[in-house]
Amino acid sequence: EVHLVESGGGLVQPGGSLRLSCATSGFTFSDFWMTWVRQAPGQGLEWVANINQDGSDTYYVDSVKGRFTISRDNAKNSLYLQLNSLRVDDTAVYYCARDRGGSGWSDHDHWGQGTLLTVSS
Amino acid sequence: DTQLTQSPSFLSASVGDRVTITCRASQDIRTYLAWYQQKPGKAPNLLIYGASTLQSGVPSRFSGSGSGTEFSLTISSLQPEDFATYFCQQFGSYPLTFGGGTKVEI
């Protein structure tokens, strides 16, 4: 069974940094693109970034470019999101998700339970 | 960016009702569209991909249609467990984007 478990969320001051992790199991991690999606409290979903199978190709939404970095460790079956220069409007539940398709243009068929990041002074 | 406009944003319905949610894209995305269901405090769950293909394990009362810029999700007979928020997502161009959501309530 496919499992994705996020961790690393918490309370951070504006301007701070944090790294989110997503531990996966139940599938061959290195075969799939992976994605981060976030959801601000009471709001809709926002796609944040994705990464290809070997980590050589990444894409970001404009609002996080230059501040967030997506990465992966295929040996550890883990996905990461490094968040720098955090802003209050980065407050959200961050979900990791597996891309169903084999390209970077895909929906997401498995999701973690999410980890809450709160950016506040 | 490709904007997705869902309507309605809120829908009140009864068990057994046929319900249709629409999603309009600001540019042609062919059939690069998915639908998700999200319940409070839970992660989204993929229902439909490729605009009309039912994800494995999803009940057949859910169906999707459309291509280009106009899409719809239909629930043929609403069940108590279907009361939730539904989102469309396009993956035809970057950045991938989601619609604003449709909350289906009793």
Side-chain angles (χ1 to χ4, degrees):
Chain A
E1 187 179 357
V2 174
H3 282 291
L4 297 88
V5 180
E6 302 92 337
S7 60
L11 176 62
V12 180
Q13 290 189 335
S17 297
L18 201 69
R19 189 176 84 153
L20 304 181
S21 299
C22 174
T24 74
S25 61
F27 65 103
T28 305
F29 180 70
S30 57
D31 284 350
F32 290 87
W33 281 73
M34 296 294 294
T35 289
W36 287 99
V37 173
R38 67 183 178 182
Q39 186 169 36
Q43 302 301 309
L45 300 167
E46 181 180 38
W47 176 86
V48 174
N50 67 355
I51 187 168
N52 72 341
Q53 289 90 338
D54 66 4
S56 61
D57 202 8
T58 59
Y59 295 88
Y60 299 90
V61 68
D62 281 351
S63 60
V64 309
K65 279 181 185 175
R67 301 189 301 122
F68 291 8
T69 302
I70 188 172
S71 63
R72 65 192 295 160
D73 185 335
N74 287 344
K76 294 183 178 180
N77 295 325
S78 293
L79 177 72
Y80 305 102
L81 187 66
Q82 177 67 41
L83 301 85
N84 298 329
S85 303
L86 282 163
R87 310 189 302 219
V88 171
D89 62 358
D90 293 319
T91 294
V93 173
Y94 285 74
Y95 295 101
C96 70
R98 189 183 82 166
D99 285 14
R100 185 189 52 81
S103 71
W105 286 262
S106 179
D107 44 78
H108 320 296
D109 60 353
H110 291 278
W111 297 64
Q113 84 289 348
T115 188
L116 175 62
L117 168 65
T118 302
V119 183
S120 174
S121 56
Chain B
D1 297 4
T2 302
Q3 309 300 320
L4 295 179
T5 303
Q6 279 185 243
S7 61
S9 54
F10 177 86
L11 190 158
S12 181
S14 300
V15 173
D17 283 355
R18 181 182 180 87
V19 165
T20 297
I21 300 167
T22 64
C23 180
R24 176 174 293 136
S26 61
Q27 58 187 291
D28 186 349
I29 55 169
R30 290 184 281 178
T31 57
Y32 294 127
L33 187 105
W35 289 97
Y36 299 88
Q37 177 193 69
Q38 187 180 35
K39 297 182 179 179
K42 301 294 187 183
N45 180 48
L46 178 65
L47 299 175
I48 301 282
Y49 61 90
S52 60
T53 304
L54 196 67
Q55 170 70 349
S56 176
V58 174
S60 58
R61 62 180 178 274
F62 291 91
S63 63
S65 65
S67 65
T69 62
E70 297 282 339
F71 302 87
S72 64
L73 172 72
T74 297
I75 309 171
S76 59
S77 177
L78 203 62
Q79 298 301 301
E81 61 268 30
D82 300 337
F83 292 95
T85 301
Y86 294 84
F87 294 93
C88 55
Q89 180 201 23
Q90 69 81 22
F91 47 95
S93 64
Y94 279 102
L96 309 190
T97 50
F98 289 88
T102 296
K103 188 173 184 180
V104 177
E105 285 195 345
I106 301 173

